[in-house]
Amino acid sequence: MNKSKLKFCKKCFTPNSRPRIKFDLDGVCNACTFYKKREGSIDFENRKKELIELCDKYRSKSGQYDCIVPWSGGKDSSAIAHKLKFEFNMNPLLVTFSPIIGSEIGRKNREELRSLGFDNVFMAPDIKTNQYLSKRFFIERGDPKIHWTAGMKAFPIKTAIEKKIKLIFYAENGECFYGGNVLHKDAEKRVHLEDIIENKIGDHPFNWVDDKVSKKDLNAYMLPDENELNKSGIEIYYYAYFEKWNVEKNFKYISSKIKFLCHHDGRSPGTFTNYDSLDDHVDQVYYYLQLLKFGFGRAARDASRLIQQSSKNYNDIKDDVSKFDREVPTSDIIKYCDYISISLDEFNDICNKHRDNEIWKFEGNGWKLNNEV
């Protein structure tokens, strides 16, 4: 790919600079192709029967936890947990790996769902290592959440092993649903450790050991050994495999069940939606860096998902993408600078080192993409 000629999917707002994205000969990204194929060829009634059979296999008769839902308190994981408990008569244990800089909205949304009778195991890793790794990965890779992703993937699996719970439901595999590197034939359905390490984290946490962080400091972020996982007999699925996955419908569903709080400004920074990625202030920094590294921000991401999953089309959303995609989430950036003890000038200097100069050019008094959406 020649990034100096930035191109966008013919149906959504995904550019060819997105990591692991692929375009067909018609200029359509593999995320749009995946959804079109999914809508046209999948019998979701049969998939629901699969889910019922799976729940029947593991449903507890003694009141014990019979499955785990990795849970942030957001719309998707909360919708999954609610459906499993009240539609499929399961007894899920909600397992949360703490956000880096947790928001009040996220905390209240978690309390709301718990009030319906859910138990929650909450893992909060030590702050010193958390701060160090976030700052290190922000500086080195332009991603302040790599270690969090590792912990979020690892902790529910380790909890399942410890508590002898045989079934886990993650939400969706982004490599399938949003365009990526699909490593296994059943990648839409089942979670594989190889996929987590290769696509979600990028390397093994053992590689993070240095003169300030030892292996024991990294325990919270370590995935279980594959042999240990195989021996446990635990089955790990993506819930999205079993239904017509739609993030907007997940929001509407959970909003009809609890008082689900949205962003207090009416929309989240950098986008036109107000119901996604609400629990961690560092998410806004992550999406801002995505814009600098790959030329598309949070509004383009949200718009692409709505086009793929709903009846909305390009023209319905293009004005919102144009208006909000380049917005700088200043308030969240300041919170993050305080967390890792750097100044705003230092933050911007680091960000500009990760800005892709094949995509961006400096003109007049600001940066511009070499090709607009």
Side-chain angles (χ1 to χ4, degrees):
M1 178 198 70
N2 182 0
K3 287 187 291 185
S4 63
K5 294 182 180 179
L6 196 62
K7 295 180 181 179
F8 294 84
C9 174
K10 297 295 185 182
K11 291 188 175 181
C12 72
F13 295 87
T14 303
N16 59 349
S17 56
R18 186 186 188 275
R20 304 186 298 282
I21 200 71
K22 296 176 183 177
F23 284 53
D24 64 19
L25 294 177
D26 295 321
V28 178
C29 75
N30 49 347
C32 288
T33 301
F34 172 83
Y35 271 100
K36 183 178 180 181
K37 181 179 179 181
R38 202 171 196 261
E39 286 294 311
S41 63
I42 304 301
D43 185 338
F44 284 101
E45 283 302 313
N46 279 339
R47 289 201 174 178
K48 184 175 181 179
K49 290 177 184 177
E50 276 190 73
L51 177 59
I52 291 171
E53 290 174 1
L54 189 61
C55 291
D56 288 345
K57 177 180 177 181
Y58 288 106
R59 189 178 295 107
S60 172
K61 296 178 181 179
S62 61
Q64 299 298 311
Y65 305 119
D66 44 34
C67 65
I68 280 177
V69 176
W71 181 61
S72 66
K75 66 189 188 316
D76 298 323
S77 57
S78 292
I80 291 168
H82 193 280
K83 289 176 184 178
L84 286 170
K85 186 176 182 71
F86 296 107
E87 294 182 16
F88 296 96
N89 196 31
M90 299 293 281
N91 186 23
L93 175 64
L94 309 184
V95 177
T96 306
F97 193 79
S98 175
I100 299 174
I101 306 177
S103 71
E104 185 67 5
I105 292 173
R107 184 187 67 79
K108 288 182 177 179
N109 283 339
R110 288 192 294 272
E111 286 185 353
E112 275 289 309
L113 192 69
R114 285 172 52 216
S115 70
L116 297 185
F118 289 90
D119 292 337
N120 174 217
V121 175
F122 189 95
M123 169 61 170
D126 84 83
I127 294 173
K128 181 180 178 181
T129 303
N130 200 3
Q131 287 174 323
Y132 174 75
L133 290 175
S134 186
K135 183 176 182 178
R136 173 180 163 184
F137 292 137
F138 168 51
I139 294 170
E140 292 180 358
R141 308 187 195 182
D143 184 344
K145 297 195 69 174
I146 287 175
H147 63 304
W148 177 87
T149 300
M152 180 269 292
K153 295 295 183 182
F155 183 58
I157 301 173
K158 291 194 288 189
T159 301
I161 293 172
E162 177 188 336
K163 295 184 178 296
K164 296 181 172 57
I165 301 171
K166 300 297 184 181
L167 183 61
I168 304 175
F169 287 104
Y170 282 90
E172 81 274 50
N173 186 351
E175 298 299 308
C176 297
F177 282 74
Y178 308 121
N181 179 28
V182 178
L183 298 176
H184 302 88
K185 289 183 179 180
D186 61 350
E188 180 191 350
K189 182 177 183 179
R190 288 180 178 268
V191 176
H192 296 270
L193 293 187
E194 180 189 11
D195 178 56
I196 293 173
I197 294 170
E198 179 74 20
N199 293 325
K200 308 300 191 296
I201 305 172
D203 65 355
H204 197 284
F206 274 148
N207 297 327
W208 305 344
V209 173
D210 61 14
D211 60 346
K212 293 186 178 180
V213 173
S214 67
K215 286 184 180 180
K216 68 179 182 180
D217 296 320
L218 296 171
N219 184 61
Y221 310 100
M222 291 291 188
L223 286 161
D225 179 78
E226 191 158 8
N227 290 330
E228 181 185 15
L229 179 59
N230 292 337
K231 190 182 297 185
S232 72
I234 293 168
E235 296 192 68
I236 314 175
Y237 290 89
Y238 289 111
Y239 186 90
Y241 166 84
F242 298 102
E243 67 174 37
K244 288 186 177 181
W245 188 250
N246 184 309
V247 294
E248 190 174 45
K249 284 186 178 179
N250 288 344
F251 162 62
K252 291 178 179 178
Y253 173 89
I254 200 61
S255 294
S256 71
K257 307 300 180 183
I258 64 172
K259 184 181 178 182
F260 186 84
L261 299 180
C262 297
H263 199 281
H264 48 75
D265 289 336
R267 63 175 183 83
S268 298
T271 191
F272 54 93
T273 66
N274 66 348
Y275 52 74
D276 186 47
S277 291
L278 297 167
D279 65 302
D280 195 339
H281 291 286
V282 181
D283 283 0
Q284 321 308 332
V285 179
Y286 172 87
Y287 292 123
Y288 178 63
L289 283 155
Q290 172 189 283
L291 172 65
L292 303 188
K293 293 190 293 182
F294 308 122
F296 73 106
R298 188 171 178 181
R301 164 198 179 267
D302 291 351
S304 295
R305 294 185 180 190
L306 288 174
I307 289 169
Q308 291 152 3
Q309 298 171 7
S310 72
S311 60
K312 292 183 173 63
N313 61 43
Y314 187 97
N315 289 325
D316 293 331
I317 315 176
K318 66 178 183 179
D319 290 342
D320 286 329
V321 174
S322 178
K323 185 175 182 180
F324 299 119
D325 205 46
R326 313 285 175 78
E327 185 177 31
V328 180
T330 304
S331 175
D332 296 288
I333 287 172
I334 290 172
K335 287 182 175 66
Y336 183 64
C337 289
D338 290 341
Y339 184 73
I340 63 170
S341 301
I342 64 172
S343 69
L344 188 57
D345 286 341
E346 288 175 304
F347 175 86
N348 289 325
D349 286 343
I350 294 166
C351 282
N352 281 325
K353 289 178 181 177
H354 292 289
R355 188 188 295 271
D356 191 327
N357 289 323
E358 289 186 65
I359 294 174
W360 296 90
K361 55 187 176 182
F362 195 85
E363 286 187 357
N365 60 354
W367 290 94
K368 295 182 179 180
L369 280 174
N370 62 31
N371 188 19
E372 299 294 332
V373 175

